[in-house]
Amino acid sequence: MSHTPRSLRSRAVLTCALLVAPLIAGLSGCGGSPDPLSAKPYDAADQISFSGDGDGRKANPDKPLEVTAKDDDSRITDVTATDAAGRYVRGELTDDGRHWRSTVPLAAGAHYTLKVSTEDSNGAPGRRTVAFTTSSAHRLLKVTFGPKAGEYGVGQPITAKLSRPVKDPSARAVIERALKVDSRPAVEGVWHWVDSRNLHYRPQEYWPAHATISVHSNLKGIRIGGGLYGGEAKSLRLTTGDRLEALTDSGTHQMTVKRNGVPIRTIPITTGMPGFDTRNGIKVVLAKESAVRMTGASIGLGAGSYDLMVYWAARVTKSGEYVHAAPWSTGSQGYANVSHGCTGMSTANAQWFFNTVRLGDIVQVVHSNGEDMATFDNGYGDWNMAWADWRKGSAVASGQSDATPADSARLRPQV
């Protein structure tokens, strides 16, 4: 029988002891209290409630979203609420972890996902995830942009017509921020409240030539105030052509037409006679009518004063001021003002002008004895308002939103 030396046996026992010791230590650790952070979160449905819980009704977007711990044995550690696009809803959690409340309005008719993390009295984590939908708004504010899509002159303002009147400055600011106008090339522009239902948008100067202008609304589902929510709005895309300007000088009886700053034609004209003086100021071509009937009765002269078919007519005011052919006054064109307010020229020149201009092009009248062109109530006189004053009509740019309502003038042709 062989014998193992004592020294080798001692080393073998020691080695085994060293190998066993870590195992014992590991078993000791597993048998003790587990690390709560490593445990799978339990279902915290019984420990919390939120304001959309219960009877299947949709959450009220007029009220904040609230999450509450039901008892003293648990607390809320984290809350995230996101909409269908993944945007977060900001909120505040109380120091004791008992209550969380959203600090921004929810959108109407929107789908949200709410994730709540909790912790029980032993520090074990809990989790609850719920989906809910907010109720649709009963009072919607719809927006209609203008003009129609297409190509326009550089003087064309953008318009927004609201389906309901809005007077509160804070509500107006919400609307303005949601109505987006982007142009390429980029220019600074501002919305101006014409009245409680109409806004106009323009840059400080005319639009750039050959620009692309995109208009859209981010208002859908947004709470505006007073139970009013943003509704649908169809986007709009415009382009501008050359910068075309017609300078009408009533003093010299000449019209100079410029394209991109370069004169391309000088036309002998006649404008309004005394008592029917043409309005001074910047106007925008509103419409083009190859033929229009004009009568003296429409401007208060009485039946039988005149009744004419007028050709190649470009309208520049709602009240009936045109640039048109006036073959009956060619002897006065370039020498005297004999019309009833319109700008008259020869048939050939009127046809050229009609075929050259587009809606939104600029017609500016100077040196007339007439009144100044109104800013809003007789067409697009927007460019006659100084930029500083224009900005005062914006609830966002200046904090002021008081605007004088404008009543549309009655349509009546003038010759």
Side-chain angles (χ1 to χ4, degrees):
M1 175 167 39
S2 61
H3 297 278
T4 302
R6 180 184 297 273
S7 60
L8 293 177
R9 289 200 302 271
S10 299
R11 286 197 295 271
V13 171
L14 179 59
T15 301
C16 291
L18 291 174
L19 289 173
V20 171
L23 293 176
I24 295 173
L27 291 173
S28 170
C30 292
S33 300
D35 180 0
L37 297 178
S38 66
K40 182 180 179 180
Y42 61 83
D43 184 0
D46 295 335
Q47 293 185 346
I48 64 166
S49 63
F50 82 103
S51 53
D53 263 341
D55 51 17
R57 291 183 301 176
K58 295 181 179 180
N60 186 349
D62 283 331
K63 297 181 180 180
L65 177 63
E66 298 185 78
V67 182
T68 304
K70 290 183 177 180
D71 53 56
D72 295 334
D73 294 331
S74 62
R75 69 185 187 92
I76 301 166
T77 58
D78 186 58
V79 176
T80 59
T82 55
D83 65 11
R87 292 171 294 207
Y88 286 87
V89 178
R90 294 193 300 274
E92 294 179 347
L93 180 64
T94 57
D95 291 339
D96 60 5
R98 304 287 303 158
H99 188 77
W100 181 92
R101 177 187 179 100
S102 62
T103 56
V104 294
L106 300 178
H111 184 79
Y112 288 90
T113 300
L114 177 69
K115 295 181 180 180
V116 183
S117 298
T118 64
E119 185 179 79
D120 65 13
S121 57
N122 295 320
R127 177 71 59 84
R128 186 185 182 194
T129 300
V130 292
F132 68 94
T133 302
T134 54
S135 59
S136 298
H138 296 294
R139 297 180 62 231
L140 291 177
L141 182 77
K142 297 182 180 180
V143 182
T144 303
F145 293 120
K148 296 179 180 179
E151 185 176 79
Y152 290 84
V154 298
Q156 178 64 51
I158 305 299
T159 64
K161 186 175 183 62
L162 309 181
S163 60
R164 298 174 182 269
V166 177
K167 297 181 179 180
D168 180 70
S170 60
R172 288 186 171 191
V174 171
I175 294 169
E176 278 189 55
R177 292 189 180 100
L179 304 184
K180 303 296 183 181
V181 181
D182 301 305
S183 68
R184 299 192 310 269
V187 290
E188 178 192 1
V190 172
W191 287 105
H192 183 102
W193 288 81
V194 177
D195 54 42
S196 61
R197 295 182 63 167
N198 292 279
L199 298 85
H200 285 195
Y201 185 100
R202 51 155 275 209
Q204 182 172 359
E205 304 295 337
Y206 301 140
W207 295 102
H210 306 291
T212 299
I213 305 163
S214 300
V215 189
H216 69 278
S217 171
N218 292 332
L219 202 58
K220 184 179 178 180
I222 299 299
R223 185 169 67 182
I224 298 170
L228 191 63
Y229 286 80
E232 298 282 354
K234 183 179 179 181
S235 298
L236 175 66
R237 184 178 182 273
L238 307 177
T239 58
T240 60
D242 289 334
R243 176 167 172 158
L244 201 77
E245 303 166 83
L247 180 63
T248 302
D249 191 327
S250 292
T252 63
H253 317 292
Q254 302 288 325
M255 171 188 280
T256 301
V257 181
K258 296 181 180 180
R259 178 181 282 123
N260 299 322
V262 178
I264 58 173
R265 194 161 181 140
T266 299
I267 301 172
I269 59 167
T270 182
T271 59
M273 68 179 77
F276 296 91
D277 301 276
T278 305
R279 296 170 184 83
N280 283 298
I282 301 171
K283 305 159 192 177
V284 172
V285 176
L286 303 177
K288 294 166 63 177
E289 302 169 49
S290 56
V292 59
R293 182 184 179 187
M294 298 186 181
T295 67
S298 66
I299 57 171
L301 291 182
S305 55
Y306 65 83
D307 188 341
L308 300 171
M309 287 301 299
V310 176
Y311 299 94
W312 309 118
R315 182 193 285 268
V316 293
T317 71
K318 288 183 177 180
S319 60
E321 183 182 319
Y322 288 83
V323 177
H324 63 75
W328 56 85
S329 65
T330 52
S332 298
Q333 293 164 16
Y335 302 99
N337 294 322
V338 296
S339 82
H340 291 96
C342 289
T343 298
M345 57 186 65
S346 70
T347 299
N349 281 327
Q351 186 174 4
W352 175 87
F353 185 83
F354 185 92
N355 292 331
T356 301
V357 299
R358 62 174 59 84
L359 305 191
D361 280 334
I362 299 298
V363 176
Q364 183 175 6
V365 177
V366 297
H367 302 142
S368 170
N369 293 321
E371 298 178 353
D372 291 336
M373 173 68 176
T375 309
F376 299 118
D377 66 355
N378 198 16
Y380 295 129
D382 304 49
W383 305 101
N384 296 294
M385 182 178 288
W387 182 241
D389 293 329
W390 184 269
R391 289 175 58 87
K392 291 178 182 179
S394 164
V396 173
S398 68
Q400 300 180 17
S401 59
D402 295 332
T404 302
D407 295 325
S408 296
R410 180 170 61 92
L411 299 180
R412 60 180 193 273
Q414 298 171 324
V415 294

